[in-house]
Amino acid sequence: MRLSTLILRTFSVLWLFTLLGGVGVYVSIEQNNRLVSEIQQEQEEITQITALLNSVLDLETGLRGYLLTGESAFLMPHLAARTRLPRELSELERQLMTDHVDPEHAAEHLQVVQKVERQVEQWLDEAARPQLAAYQKDPALAVALVKTQRGKVVVDAIRRELLGLSEHLTREVQQKETLNQANLRRLQLFAPLGVLFALLVSIFFSARLASGVAQVFDRLRTSTRELASGNLTTRAPLSDLHEPRLLAEDFNQMAGALERAQNEVADRNMILERRHREVSQLAELSDALQSCQDKEEGYRVLSQALPHLFSGWSGTFLTLKSSKNLLETRAVWGDVALDTVGTVRDPDSCLALRRGHAYEPTELSPTCAHHDGQAGMYLCIPLLAQNEALGVLQLFGGPEAASVPEHVRSFALTVAQQISLAIGNLRLRETLRQQSIRDPMTGLFNRRYLEETLERELHRATRAQQSVSILAADIDHFKRFNDTFGHEAGDAVLMAVAKTMQEFFRAEDMICRYGGEEFIIVLLNASHEDTLARAHAFREKIAELTVNYERQALGQVTVSLGVATYPEHGTDAGVLINQADQALYLAKQQGRNRVESVTALRPLR
């Protein structure tokens, strides 16, 4: 139901009572009908006289405008007035002869109208027709006739007669209206009672209407407050009234739009939180990888971090071996496990490595050989640093996944880039470290490494109450090889002796090229007697060594060795090396190709 309909129904009762009161008033004022009828009749006569004045004006001005300008548009009002004027005069005469309540005044008014009728005929004969006839011959002649003002004098006389008649009728109307007002004032004594009654009825029904409408808007106001308080799920109840119902529907549409907007903001906040979490995780991973000492430690960090970075996803992390011909699985996580840690694969089995960019198969593209025909999608991302392949990061979505979501793909690419940089840095760090502690010719540790490490090993031996022996070795007559066969042949002798040392001594022993043709071997947890025995055996091993250079035998190679042991012969690294050197020099003095102990020195230093 429309609100306007409700209002109409509510006030229909009021209007009914008002109508009843109006009937009473009508009866009271019926006695004034005659007076009002007379006033109306005279007003009609005034209206007719006014129409006559307008017609006379159109009759004269239309003709004059046409004659002066030659525009036919001015002639139209003139012709219409000539047609209308006789009818209006006849109507006014009929009204005066039959309907007028005052016969004496009617006769006087009728004489005025008849006089006006004769004056109109006079104007037509003396002005209008001659002017039109003259215009047909010469427009200038017609203009001259107009300027004589003869026709205008007649028209002014007509207007004076009609205006006088109109003023007379107007005075009569005013007198009768004054009488009518006096009669109406008498009715005002009874009107307040009717008004008071109508007012009381209006208040009663208006209160009922206002109460109903207020309830509708109170419910809408309650919904508005709930919406303002943050309850975007609130909806306004729909009213039976049409207009409030439309308002409630618009409110509900607005609330729905706000709820959708809030959901969009919540989704964006979730995306921002996820990105913040991913950035924090990447920062933690970067810090952890930067603190690693070598690649193996980095691989252990990644094997622990990747399952947390890609929780809810399965995946594998593989690295390319130094030989570049095998991929080794370093980490596996999730429900879809296509590999186990330690498994090796052919690098060509991964299309991402072959193509050099991330690869996700489609319906028209092949799958990687390492996928083993498993159902479901996957994503392979090559780990590249300086255009060099380091490994592969693989994510598996399971048989129900259609594709990798864009945010997961983007995060995986960022993680892969972070891993690539970290592994590349660790490899570079290891390379630089090896270059700083290794002799480039023999591959043995250099003197710097010996000085950095020996002191630490002596402290460790002190805590463990173990012995550490120092074996100083020097190639006998090394200068002869250089002078006789050249420096390249001397290098061949050095590399052959170094290789024999690496094969002969234990893996935990530290073999260093100390300088030139001199070597230092640190034997951990080895007594002085055991070290002497190992030194003699090594000397014999070298004596059996045959070195060829450019298909030419270089002759027998021998070494002289000196032995000193911690803590018997010293507790300082420099002292021990010096003691071993002294024993080595003693072996040289005793004829070379010998092993001497620091105990043979006199005095013992």
Side-chain angles (χ1 to χ4, degrees), residues 60-94:
E60 191 270 336
T61 58
L63 178 61
R64 182 154 45 89
Y66 171 73
L67 296 176
L68 294 175
T69 63
E71 294 290 337
S72 59
F74 289 98
L75 191 60
M76 298 301 295
H78 168 79
L79 296 177
R82 288 183 65 174
T83 304
R84 189 172 63 246
L85 193 60
R87 183 175 67 252
E88 292 174 347
L89 289 170
S90 298
E91 180 65 24
L92 182 58
E93 289 175 357
R94 184 188 64 78

Side-chain angles (χ1 to χ4, degrees), residues 320 324 352-357 382-391 416-417 420-421 423-425 427:
L320 197 63
K324 304 296 183 182
L353 268 182
R354 288 159 56 180
R355 299 187 179 193
H357 57 78
L383 306 177
L384 305 173
Q386 300 295 325
N387 295 324
E388 180 182 0
L390 304 177
Q417 183 180 18
S420 301
L421 292 175
I423 295 177
N425 289 336
R427 290 183 59 181

Side-chain angles (χ1 to χ4, degrees), residues 130-149:
Q131 290 173 357
L132 286 173
Y135 183 83
Q136 295 296 328
K137 297 177 181 180
D138 185 1
L141 181 59
V143 171
L145 291 175
V146 170
K147 291 181 178 182
T148 62
Q149 300 291 320

Side-chain angles (χ1 to χ4, degrees), residues 137-389:
K137 297 177 181 180
D138 185 1
L141 181 59
V143 171
L145 291 175
V146 170
K147 291 181 178 182
T148 62
Q149 300 291 320
R150 183 175 182 180
K152 187 175 184 302
V153 172
V154 177
V155 170
D156 290 341
I158 295 173
R159 293 179 63 188
R160 283 193 298 272
E161 294 292 339
L162 291 176
L163 286 173
L165 180 59
S166 176
E167 290 174 356
H168 178 75
L169 291 173
T170 301
R171 286 192 297 271
E172 290 183 354
V173 168
Q174 290 175 349
Q175 293 173 357
K176 292 177 180 179
E177 285 180 346
T178 302
L179 181 60
N180 187 39
Q181 290 295 328
N183 293 334
L184 290 177
R185 281 194 295 273
R186 287 191 294 270
L187 294 177
Q188 291 178 354
L189 296 175
F190 302 97
L193 295 176
V195 172
L196 179 60
F197 178 76
L199 179 61
L200 293 176
V201 174
S202 173
I203 292 174
F204 174 74
F205 287 103
S206 297
R208 289 191 58 186
L209 175 63
S211 176
V213 174
Q215 289 179 0
V216 172
F217 285 98
D218 282 344
R219 291 195 294 267
L220 181 60
R221 184 183 180 188
T222 301
S223 300
T224 304
R225 288 180 175 178
E226 291 182 1
L227 182 67
S229 65
N231 183 14
L232 300 184
T233 60
T234 185
R235 295 294 184 271
L238 300 180
S239 172
D240 294 334
L241 299 177
H242 180 68
E243 291 82 356
R245 184 184 184 89
L246 292 179
L247 186 59
E249 290 176 351
D250 291 342
F251 174 86
N252 293 340
Q253 290 180 358
M254 178 188 67
L258 290 175
E259 185 177 10
R260 289 190 296 273
Q262 185 187 49
N263 293 335
E264 292 178 0
V265 171
D267 293 340
R268 292 182 181 179
N269 287 337
M270 290 179 58
I271 293 174
L272 291 176
E273 290 177 0
R274 184 183 67 243
R275 290 180 178 175
H276 177 71
R277 184 173 61 254
E278 291 173 351
V279 170
S280 299
Q281 290 175 337
L282 285 175
E284 293 179 7
L285 177 62
S286 177
D287 291 341
L289 291 174
Q290 287 180 3
S291 63
C292 294
Q293 296 293 330
D294 51 36
K295 291 183 297 184
E296 294 301 325
E297 185 180 358
Y299 296 155
R300 289 193 297 271
V301 170
L302 289 171
S303 64
Q304 296 175 358
L306 288 174
H308 296 287
L309 291 175
F310 298 101
S311 58
W313 289 80
S314 301
T316 57
F317 168 55
L318 305 94
T319 60
L320 197 63
K321 286 184 169 294
S322 301
S323 58
K324 304 296 183 182
N325 61 347
L326 290 176
L327 274 174
E328 181 180 1
T329 302
R330 296 286 183 171
V332 178
W333 68 92
D335 299 330
V336 182
L338 301 181
D339 264 336
T340 57
V341 176
T343 304
V344 293
R345 291 184 176 274
D346 183 3
D348 291 337
S349 65
C350 182
L351 293 174
L353 268 182
R354 288 159 56 180
R355 299 187 179 193
H357 57 78
Y359 181 74
E360 182 179 357
T362 62
E363 295 179 354
L364 301 179
S365 60
T367 59
C368 297
H370 63 76
H371 198 52
D372 293 336
Q374 292 284 338
M377 51 66 56
Y378 67 92
L379 174 65
C380 287
I381 304 176
L383 306 177
L384 305 173
Q386 300 295 325
N387 295 324
E388 180 182 0

